[in-house]
Amino acid sequence: ERAQRVEREADMKMQRLNSIVGLDETQREQVFGIMARNSRDYDPSMNLEGTHGPIGATPGGNPREAMLSVLNPDQRAAYDAETARRRAEAVKNMEAIGLTLPANWEMLDEDFR
């Protein structure tokens, strides 16, 4: 059950990123591994479907930076532009109800769970 949650979360985040920047197969596998490894339900002993070997440690220890390091410059620009657009929209929506956007807001985590 935990492994399925990890797989669903990692796949959802990878698919969201793919819809924004158009990942190639190698990038999809790398991003899936990064997202799976950083799920709160992840356990290194899990055998996740769709992976080609064990999931290694997150490069640099920062999942967002590791994910961004997989992108080429054009993909990074597309990601940054979409993040800015969605952040502005989220700020506007939160302000409309008298709240502020959390400092740790992350576009790929929207509406998960």
Side-chain angles (χ1 to χ4, degrees):
E1 187 176 316
R2 284 181 59 193
Q4 289 176 342
R5 281 194 308 263
V6 169
E7 288 175 8
R8 280 193 310 269
E9 178 181 353
D11 190 56
M12 181 270 311
K13 289 179 179 181
M14 184 274 300
Q15 291 297 338
R16 283 184 176 176
L17 182 61
N18 186 43
S19 72
I20 296 166
V21 303
L23 301 170
D24 64 29
E25 184 61 34
T26 300
Q27 289 174 315
R28 284 192 293 273
E29 287 183 24
Q30 290 173 319
V31 169
F32 178 88
I34 292 165
M35 298 305 181
R37 174 80 179 171
N38 290 284
S39 169
R40 69 177 175 220
D41 290 319
Y42 179 75
D43 182 303
S45 67
M46 290 179 172
N47 186 11
L48 302 176
E49 291 184 29
T51 59
H52 301 287
I55 295 174
T58 299
N62 180 319
R64 184 174 187 280
E65 289 304 314
M67 181 269 301
L68 292 174
S69 74
V70 171
L71 305 180
N72 67 41
D74 290 340
Q75 290 171 319
R76 175 69 185 260
Y79 176 82
D80 289 343
E82 185 64 11
T83 297
R85 185 190 74 73
R86 289 188 188 188
R87 178 178 293 280
E89 183 179 318
V91 165
K92 180 180 159 190
N93 291 339
M94 295 293 280
E95 286 175 348
I97 58 173
L99 299 173
T100 58
L101 193 65
N104 64 348
W105 177 87
E106 175 57 51
M107 171 177 64
L108 299 178
D109 290 337
E110 285 184 327
D111 301 322
F112 183 73
R113 294 198 201 286

